[in-house]
Amino acid sequence: MKIVMAIIKPFKLEEVRDALTTIGVHGLTVTEVKGYGRQKGHTEIYRGAEYAVSFLPKIKIEVAIPDDLVGRVIEAITATARTGQIGDGKIFVSSIEKAVRIRTGETDADAL
């Protein structure tokens, strides 16, 4: 079992969710986050004044999946979240040692 965490631009959330649903992902967790990458934010001009925006709004998607879906999930996220612009995001994959569904007590792959 793996957990795939993707940091993407907020306006891409619906497209990514639809792509994940299409390949058989049944649930995901979405969190609003802020951060910056190599560019350390950017500057914006508002009413003639220049402002430095250090932390950019992003969306974090977390998906717990079986090992055999990892490649397809990464491919679906990258294909739908990519704009070709700076700040498209990142994907991280980690192993899950154990999963338990609280309501039924199911464990590991059955809990996903």
Side-chain angles (χ1 to χ4, degrees), residues 18-112:
D18 292 343
L20 291 174
T21 302
T22 301
I23 63 170
V25 173
H26 301 296
L28 55 90
T29 301
V30 176
T31 310
E32 293 180 6
V33 295
K34 291 185 179 187
Y36 65 87
R38 293 181 181 157
Q39 291 76 29
K40 304 201 179 18
H42 68 278
T43 57
E44 290 184 358
I45 298 175
Y46 179 71
R47 294 188 179 190
E50 194 170 283
Y51 296 93
V53 178
S54 298
F55 293 98
L56 303 175
K58 300 286 182 178
I59 294 291
K60 178 169 71 171
I61 299 172
E62 294 173 298
V63 183
I65 54 172
D67 291 339
D68 60 330
L69 275 181
V70 172
R72 290 174 41 202
V73 166
I74 291 172
E75 186 179 309
I77 293 171
T78 54
T80 54
R82 180 180 291 133
T83 65
Q85 302 295 317
I86 291 172
D88 274 350
K90 291 196 173 43
I91 298 174
F92 304 97
V93 180
S94 300
S95 293
I96 297 176
E97 289 186 30
K98 186 159 191 74
V100 178
R101 185 183 307 264
I102 295 172
R103 180 176 55 89
T104 61
E106 294 171 298
T107 59
D108 298 329
D110 293 334
L112 301 180

